[in-house]
Each structure stands twice: as structure tokens, then as C-alpha cells.
């Protein structure tokens, strides 16, 4: 599969996801729902690598993306004073998208997958709340939390359909991207989701940069040496990794 | 609502409701200290647990077993709790049932995560029920609940709305979850299709009647009885049935406009509530509530005689006749 076709697949899925949650009032006040194309790319890794992909896999991939869209909607609710109409509808947008993921999988009789994903979502919210409670967490614990928050439902989806070999690359890539984005935004004094909430990250910026480099080196090495990934997909992943180059992002800042 | 009186009505279910209460505590148990605290805060606030009661009583029309039926009763209550936590963010509510809300005690974001956690636990819990149709019913209910709330926000402060708009809104906002409680209880206990249909309709009609009474009580009760300031819904801009009936009356319209503009003084708020209380809006809204109650009782009449049938009748009557 060449790069143009990969892009086409990602765009097709994005369109489909947005169609599933089209709701005029929500769109008018909260805008187009967040569908992260990079996350979608990693959700679709097996398809983009030419694996057999049936209707259920397609439906489940859309459902998993809806989970992230729902969670992203709730991340946009302000900590204080969310009484504007747009903010009120932001609350409902997340609930609505979440209901649609459940409905989609229920119609496809995927009760066991619903069970796994809902357990995953509960776990994601538990780890998100770590950035709000008063307990002390280590640097490593928080990195693990971020990885879980950013990738757990995709991991469950890939495992469910026995695409185990893609899990590691997906998890590392998702973690790498978010850490780079967070650090770049933090350096620009922009709002960040994790670093602004964590003293330990703020005090250990050098460790964070080293961690990013470590993940990036491991990911690039694994992708290059992978026997599973076909050449065009390898290139597409490596391009994505370099497009999110930390140096470049910090320089742009 | 007088919780003591209501509890007497389903005293037969006491031991099973104790099981549900314990299961709720297990279901909200979290590895996150913060979510644990917020969820327990909600559990301790109590509540009527009326939805689990409807699940249990409806299940009595099939092969009743608390061990399997708890897999429906617990998630239904969790969904109700989760939507209340999110509603409090939407309404910017500081108190509920006389206690601080999650968003007031922590912040909106923690309330969002608590609600998301409870929704997720609810879905996880009900997957013990391997019946695709039941999941279609519940997921449809969750989506419709959201649409009902979205419409409520759209219709806020909008005087140009009809009684039909109001009824459609409360159907989604309230009646559908009570209807699903009855339907899912019956499905889970493998009751026959006709019984399931009657119970589903019964729940819908009771839910409609219940919400209309709730909207009446927002105007006629005291702050203490409600556990929140009387007229809160009205001040939030929600136009409810009693108000819809009398919105154009000379003594009410100007005050109502002030309230909807959010610029009403405490004195005028009391005056507005008093004018609505004196008007025939309350009586007319009660008549509509009674009509739904009658429909609910008619559905129940079609079911075979049993103590569950009697309990459902009594609860419906109590909910629709309650004073606060």
C-alpha cells in the first residue's frame, strides 16, 4: 500500500467517524469533534500494512476512535466556570460520543469487546485523575499513566483482533508524540495537559527530554528492523516520527 | 420525596436492595484515590434508588435471581449517578440533595472524570448480560438521554415552545431511563415479550408523570424540601409545564422575562413563584401528570396478579402524588 492510499484510508475513516457523531447543535456550539489523525493512523496500522480487515474490525476501529473523541471533548471542559452554552454542550458532546461508541458495538454484538473497552476507559479516567489528586507519583509512574491514557483502548482493540505485533509500536509512537507536543507547548508557555499539572515533570525537564530521546531511538530502531511492517508503512511511520521532531518543535517555539 | 414512605412501599425488596447497595460500593471502587473519594461522596448522598427498584420489580415477572438481576440494577443506577454529576457541571450547581456537588468540592474536570468513570463502570458491569438486544436498548437510552439534555439547553429561555416540545424533551431526559429500567429488568429475567412490552410502556408513562411532578415541585416546594433553592430550574431558564401554561398571564410575563434574562431580584423571584403557584398552571400540569399515571396503571393492569404488580402500582401512585 503506497502512502497516498494510506492517507486515503485515514481520511475515509475520519469522515466515517465524524458521520457517526454528526449532531447539528453540538457542531454549532462545540465545533467539529476532535479526531486525531495521527492516532487514527496508528489505530489502523494493520489495515495500512495490508492485513485482512473485515466489517467488524472496521466498526470496532471507528468505535475506538469515538472513545478518544469523547474523552477529548471532556478534556475541553474548563476546570472552573463551565456555564457558557458552548461549555455545557461540551459536557454533553463527550457523553453523546461515548454513547455512540457503545451503540455501534452493541449493534455489532461485540459484547466482549465492549466489556474490555469500558474497563479500559475506566482505567484511563483513573490515570487522568492522577494529574489532579494530591498523591505523589514518580516520574516513571506518570510516564506510564500518559502512555495508558493515550493508547489503552487502541491496545485493547489490536489485542482483541489478534494484531499483537503492532501494539508495541503503536504505544511507543503515541507516547512519543504526546510527550513531544507537551514539551514544545510548555516551552512556549502554552496550556499543556500533563506537564502543567505535574511538578515532577516541570522539575525534571532534562529527564523528560532524555526519555523522549530514548523512546524515539527505540521506536526508530524497532520500525527499521521490523520484519512485520512493509516498507511503505515503515517509511510512513518514520516520516511521522521525524515530522514531530522535538528539536524542530522547540526551534519553532 | 419522602424517602421513608417510599422505602416502606418496597420493603419486600430490602434484602435485595442491600445487595445492590453493596454492589454499588464495589462497582465504584477505584485504584484512584480521588475517584474513590468522589464516587463515595455520591454514594453516601444516597438517593431514592427508584430505578434499581423498577429493575428488580420488573424482573419479578420472569425468572428472578438477584445474582443475575444485579447486573442490570447496578449499572442503571450508575448511569443515573454519572448523568447527575455531569448535570451539576452543566447547571453550575453547588449543592444536590443538601450536599456539596463533586464539581463544587473538587472542580469541573474531576466531575467529568468521575462521571466518565461511572459510565464506563456501568457499561462494563452490564456486559455480564450476554444479550445483544439489551445492550441495544441501553446504548440507545444513553444516546437519547444526551439528546434530551442537548434539546433542553437549546430550548433554555425560549418562551416560544409548545407543550409537545416539553413532553418530547422530558421523554428523553427522564422517562426513557425509567422505561429502560423496567424493560431491561424484564429482559434479564427472560419474561415473555408481551410482559416486557407492558413494563417498558409502564416505565415510560411513570417517568413522564414523575418528571411533570418534579417540575411542579420545583415551584411549589420550599428550599429545605428540595435540598436546593426553589425555582432553580426556572432560574436556569428551563421552561417547564406549569410555566408553559401560564407564561403569557399579565402578572407572570414581566417577572418571567426578568428571570429568563437572569436579572431577577430575590423579592421578584418569590413573587414570580407565588404568582405561578396561584395560577391554574399547577392544576393543569397535575392533570397531565395524572393522565400519564392512568396510562401507567392501565399497562400494569394487563399483567398477572402478584406482589410485584401491587408494588409497581403503589410506587407509581406514590411518585405521582408526592408532595416533595
Amino acid at each position: 500500500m503506497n502512502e497516498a492510499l494510506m492517507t486515503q484510508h485515514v481520511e475515509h475513516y475520519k469522515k466515517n467517524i465524524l458521520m457517526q457523531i454528526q449532531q447539528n447543535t453540538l457542531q454549532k456550539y462545540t465545533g467539529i469533534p476532535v479526531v486525531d489523525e495521527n492516532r487514527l493512523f496508528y489505530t489502523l496500522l494493520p489495515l495500512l500494512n495490508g492485513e485482512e480487515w473485515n466489517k467488524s474490525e472496521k466498526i470496532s476501529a471507528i468505535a475506538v476512535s469515538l472513545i478518544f473523541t469523547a474523552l477529548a471533548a471532556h478534556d475541553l471542559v474548563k476546570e472552573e466556570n463551565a456555564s457558557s452554552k458552548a461549555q455545557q454542550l461540551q459536557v454533553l458532546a463527550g457523553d453523546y460520543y461515548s454513547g455512540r461508541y457503545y451503540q455501534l458495538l452493541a449493534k455489532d454484538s461485540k459484547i466482549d469487546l465492549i466489556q474490555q473497552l469500558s474497563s479500559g476507559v475506566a482505567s484511563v479516567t483513573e490515570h487522568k485523575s492522577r494529574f489532579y489528586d494530591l498523591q505523589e507519583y514518580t516520574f516513571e509512574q506518570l510516564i506510564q499513566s500518559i502512555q495508558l491514557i493515550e493508547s489503552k483502548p487502541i491496545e485493547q482493540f489490536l489485542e482483541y483482533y489478534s494484531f499483537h505485533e503492532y501494539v508495541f509500536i503503536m504505544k511507543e509512537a503515541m507516547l512519543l508524540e504526546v510527550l513531544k507536543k507537551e514539551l514544545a507547548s510548555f516551552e512556549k508557555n502554552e496550556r499543556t495537559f500533563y506537564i502543567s499539572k505535574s511538578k515532577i515533570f516541570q522539575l525534571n525537564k532534562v529527564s523528560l527530554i532524555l526519555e523522549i530521546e530514548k523512546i524515539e531511538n527505540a521506536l526508530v530502531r524497532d520500525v527499521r528492523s521490523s520484519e512485520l511492517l512493509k516498507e511503505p508503512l515503515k517509511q510512513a511511520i518514520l516520516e511521522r516520527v521525524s515530522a514531530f521532531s522535538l528539536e524542530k518543535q522547540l526551534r519553532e517555539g | 420525596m419522602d424517602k421513608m414512605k417510599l422505602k416502606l412501599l418496597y420493603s419486600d425488596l430490602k434484602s435485595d436492595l442491600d445487595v445492590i447497595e453493596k454492589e454499588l460500593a464495589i462497582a465504584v471502587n477505584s485504584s484512584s484515590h480521588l475517584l474513590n473519594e468522589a464516587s463515595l461522596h455520591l454514594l453516601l448522598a444516597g438517593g431514592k434508588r427508584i430505578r434499581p427498584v423498577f429493575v428488580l420489580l420488573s424482573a419479578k415477572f420472569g425468572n428472578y435471581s438477584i445474582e443475575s438481576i444485579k447486573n442490570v440494577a447496578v449499572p442503571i443506577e450508575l448511569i443515573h449517578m454519572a448523568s447527575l454529576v455531569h448535570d451539576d457541571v452543566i447547571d453550575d450547581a453547588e449543592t444536590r440533595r443538601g450536599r456539596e456537588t463533586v464539581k463544587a468540592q473538587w472542580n469541573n474536570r474531576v466531575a467529568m472524570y468521575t462521571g466518565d468513570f461511572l459510565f464506563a463502570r456501568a457499561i462494563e458491569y452490564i456486559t455480564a448480560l450476554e444479550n445483544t438486544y439489551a445492550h441495544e436498548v441501553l446504548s440507545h437510552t444513553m444516546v437519547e438521554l444526551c439528546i434530551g439534555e442537548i434539546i433542553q439547553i437549546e430550548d433554555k429561555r425560549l418562551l416560544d415552545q409548545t407543550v409537545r416540545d416539553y413532553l418530547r424533551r422530558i421523554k428523553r431526559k427522564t422517562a426513557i431511563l425509567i422505561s429502560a429500567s423496567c424493560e431491561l429488568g424484564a429482559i434479564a429475567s427472560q419474561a415473555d415479550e408481551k410482559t416486557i412490552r407492558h413494563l417498558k410502556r409502564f416505565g415510560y408513562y411513570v417517568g413522564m408523570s414523575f418528571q411533570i411532578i418534579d417540575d411542579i415541585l420545583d415551584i411549589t416546594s420550599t428550599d429545605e424540601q428540595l435540598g436546593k433553592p426553589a425555582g432553580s430550574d426556572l432560574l436556569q431558564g428551563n421552561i417547564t409545564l406549569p410555566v408553559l401554561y401560564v407564561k403569557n398571564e399579565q402578572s407572570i410575563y414581566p417577572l418571567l422575562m426578568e428571570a429568563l434574562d437572569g436579572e431577577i431580584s430575590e423579592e421578584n423571584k418569590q413573587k414570580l413563584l407565588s404568582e405561578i403557584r396561584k395560577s391554574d398552571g399547577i392544576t393543569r400540569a397535575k392533570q397531565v401528570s395524572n393522565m400519564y399515571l392512568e396510562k401507567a396503571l392501565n399497562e400494569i393492569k394487563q399483567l398477572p396478579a402478584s406482589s410485584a404488580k401491587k408494588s409497581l402500582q403503589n410506587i407509581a401512585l406514590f411518585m405521582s402524588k408526592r408532595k416533595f
Side-chain angles (χ1 to χ4, degrees):
Chain A
M1 189 179 295
N2 62 32
E3 205 181 329
L5 194 55
M6 286 185 213
T7 310
Q8 220 177 322
H9 272 303
V10 172
E11 280 170 3
H12 168 76
Y13 269 79
K14 185 173 179 177
K15 213 168 142 188
N16 215 323
I17 291 160
L18 291 173
M19 215 171 66
Q20 293 293 337
I21 48 177
Q22 163 62 30
Q23 212 286 339
N24 290 342
T25 308
L26 291 180
Q27 193 154 327
K28 183 176 166 192
Y29 291 96
T30 63
I32 296 171
V34 178
V35 180
D36 180 341
E37 280 187 28
N38 201 49
R39 181 178 275 117
L40 188 52
F41 172 87
Y42 287 104
T43 307
L44 300 178
L45 275 185
L47 170 72
L48 303 179
N49 202 35
E51 300 269 6
E52 207 174 298
W53 191 263
N54 63 28
K55 197 178 159 209
S56 272
E57 278 141 359
K58 181 177 179 175
I59 292 170
S60 301
I62 292 170
V64 167
S65 302
L66 289 179
I67 291 175
F68 283 101
T69 302
L71 294 167
H74 283 170
D75 286 338
L76 292 172
V77 175
K78 291 180 190 162
E79 284 175 32
E80 304 296 336
N81 192 14
S83 53
S84 70
K85 198 169 184 174
Q87 281 282 293
Q88 290 176 328
L89 287 164
Q90 198 71 56
V91 174
L92 293 172
D95 292 346
Y96 178 73
Y97 306 153
S98 173
R100 290 289 293 134
Y101 112 74
Y102 178 28
Q103 197 172 30
L104 209 56
L105 290 179
K107 277 190 181 148
D108 198 38
S109 304
K110 284 278 171 286
I111 298 170
D112 46 356
L113 182 58
I114 294 170
Q115 191 270 328
Q116 289 177 30
L117 288 173
S118 52
S119 159
V121 173
S123 188
V124 167
T125 58
E126 289 177 322
H127 284 266
K128 277 188 173 181
S129 72
R130 282 187 167 189
F131 292 86
Y132 285 83
D133 70 21
L134 299 171
Q135 259 177 281
E136 299 264 324
Y137 297 99
T138 64
F139 182 86
E140 288 73 24
Q141 281 176 323
L142 290 181
I143 291 285
Q144 278 169 12
S145 285
I146 295 174
Q147 188 164 48
L148 186 144
I149 292 165
E150 297 296 325
S151 58
K152 185 72 183 174
I154 309 174
E155 179 184 352
Q156 289 172 311
F157 157 71
L158 293 174
E159 295 281 7
Y160 181 84
Y161 287 104
S162 303
F163 293 127
H164 315 289
E165 302 91 336
Y166 296 89
V167 171
F168 179 78
I169 288 171
M170 179 278 296
K171 281 173 72 175
E172 295 295 282
M174 294 315 306
L175 177 62
L176 181 65
E177 190 205 330
V178 73
L179 290 181
K180 281 180 180 176
K181 276 188 181 168
E182 281 267 318
L183 191 57
S185 298
F186 188 70
E187 293 292 300
K188 285 187 253 177
N189 289 323
E190 289 173 2
R191 179 185 163 273
T192 61
F193 193 81
Y194 302 113
I195 301 179
S196 308
K197 290 279 168 204
S198 160
K199 275 268 176 313
I200 207 155
F201 284 152
Q202 291 165 29
L203 295 172
N204 294 283
K205 234 163 50 187
V206 175
S207 305
L208 195 56
I209 293 169
L210 289 174
E211 182 71 22
I212 290 173
E213 282 172 4
K214 194 179 89 185
I215 300 166
E216 180 160 344
N217 291 338
L219 180 64
V220 169
R221 195 180 52 237
D222 280 355
V223 170
R224 283 195 180 131
S225 63
S226 168
E227 289 175 11
L228 168 82
L229 301 178
K230 293 182 180 141
E231 211 45 51
L233 184 59
K234 280 186 184 181
Q235 282 313 311
I237 296 173
L238 293 173
E239 270 169 34
R240 274 166 193 272
V241 172
S242 61
F244 283 108
S245 144
L246 182 60
E247 255 179 61
K248 196 174 141 194
Q249 295 213 22
L250 291 176
R251 209 170 43 238
E252 280 170 5
Chain B
M1 191 186 306
D2 190 341
K3 272 204 293 191
M4 286 307 288
K5 273 189 200 161
L6 188 62
K7 280 192 173 166
L8 275 177
L9 288 179
Y10 45 77
S11 53
D12 288 357
L13 294 173
K14 194 186 173 310
S15 63
D16 287 353
L17 282 171
D18 287 344
V19 172
I20 300 299
E21 210 60 40
K22 278 183 197 147
E23 286 292 323
L24 279 169
I26 295 169
V28 302
N29 186 34
S30 167
S31 66
S32 154
H33 176 69
L34 182 61
L35 289 185
N36 234 350
E37 223 182 306
S39 304
L40 276 176
H41 176 84
L42 286 168
L43 264 191
L44 293 174
K48 300 179 281 285
R49 307 284 187 250
I50 196 71
R51 290 157 191 84
V53 167
F54 280 128
V55 173
L56 300 184
L57 287 173
S58 299
K60 297 262 180 187
F61 291 88
N63 302 316
Y64 186 90
S65 143
I66 186 62
E67 278 313 303
S68 70
I69 211 65
K70 72 182 184 189
N71 296 321
V72 176
V74 169
I76 287 281
E77 187 64 9
L78 290 177
I79 288 169
H80 174 60
M81 281 165 66
S83 57
L84 293 184
V85 184
H86 285 177
D87 280 356
D88 289 337
V89 174
I90 292 170
D91 297 339
D92 201 18
E94 296 293 314
T95 57
R96 180 180 284 277
R97 294 171 189 148
R99 285 171 69 101
E100 246 191 325
T101 57
V102 174
K103 75 127 237 159
Q105 184 154 346
W106 288 276
N107 64 37
N108 288 332
R109 200 62 73 68
V110 173
M112 295 318 301
Y113 296 155
T114 306
D116 288 345
F117 174 72
L118 295 175
F119 273 130
R121 276 274 189 268
I123 298 173
E124 187 184 358
Y125 213 96
I126 203 167
T127 52
L129 189 64
E130 289 177 3
N131 177 322
T132 299
Y133 181 65
H135 291 283
E136 286 186 37
V137 169
L138 186 62
S139 59
H140 172 75
T141 301
M142 288 171 76
V143 168
E144 287 294 308
L145 267 173
C146 290
I147 296 175
E149 296 242 25
I150 292 167
I151 295 173
Q152 176 162 303
I153 290 177
E154 266 188 308
D155 289 352
K156 258 187 187 177
R157 304 179 200 285
L158 199 68
L159 273 182
D160 185 23
Q161 55 178 293
T162 64
V163 169
R164 268 184 75 193
D165 291 329
Y166 166 84
L167 294 176
R168 267 195 231 134
R169 197 166 66 227
I170 67 165
K171 170 191 169 183
R172 284 167 148 155
K173 192 186 143 196
T174 306
I176 198 163
L177 187 57
I178 297 183
S179 172
S181 306
C182 296
E183 186 180 11
L184 290 171
I187 290 173
S189 69
Q190 290 151 344
D192 64 75
E193 276 187 28
K194 198 174 146 214
T195 303
I196 294 173
R197 219 169 32 245
H198 285 306
L199 285 164
K200 175 187 172 178
R201 284 194 205 132
F202 165 79
Y204 164 68
Y205 291 134
V206 166
M208 295 296 281
S209 171
F210 172 77
Q211 185 57 53
I212 295 169
I213 294 293
D214 224 43
D215 291 339
I216 293 171
L217 294 176
D218 182 63
I219 290 162
T220 58
S221 298
T222 63
D223 297 2
E224 293 72 34
Q225 286 167 333
L226 289 170
K228 60 178 182 178
S232 290
D233 288 343
L234 189 53
L235 292 181
Q236 293 275 354
N238 294 325
I239 316 287
T240 56
L241 194 57
V243 181
L244 264 181
Y245 281 133
V246 295
K247 63 182 184 184
N248 293 325
E249 286 189 12
Q250 262 186 350
S251 60
I252 290 172
Y253 185 79
L255 292 169
L256 188 56
M257 291 307 284
E258 272 182 46
L260 296 182
D261 286 343
E263 287 164 1
I264 197 164
S265 63
E266 181 57 29
E267 189 189 345
N268 278 357
K269 180 190 122 179
Q270 294 305 334
K271 204 169 153 195
L272 172 62
L273 291 177
S274 158
E275 289 295 334
I276 301 173
R277 283 172 197 143
K278 278 192 287 184
S279 72
D280 70 347
I282 303 291
T283 315
R284 290 171 70 187
K286 271 185 186 162
Q287 282 167 353
V288 179
S289 170
N290 282 338
M291 181 200 75
Y292 280 112
L293 174 65
E294 282 307 313
K295 282 174 179 272
L297 295 174
N298 270 338
E299 291 296 332
I300 281 293
K301 258 188 211 159
Q302 323 286 323
L303 298 175
S306 69
S307 65
K309 176 178 175 173
K310 192 83 201 139
S311 294
L312 285 174
Q313 282 168 330
N314 288 338
I315 292 169
L317 279 164
F318 180 84
M319 284 173 72
S320 301
K321 301 289 174 197
R322 71 193 198 272
K323 298 278 185 277
F324 56 89

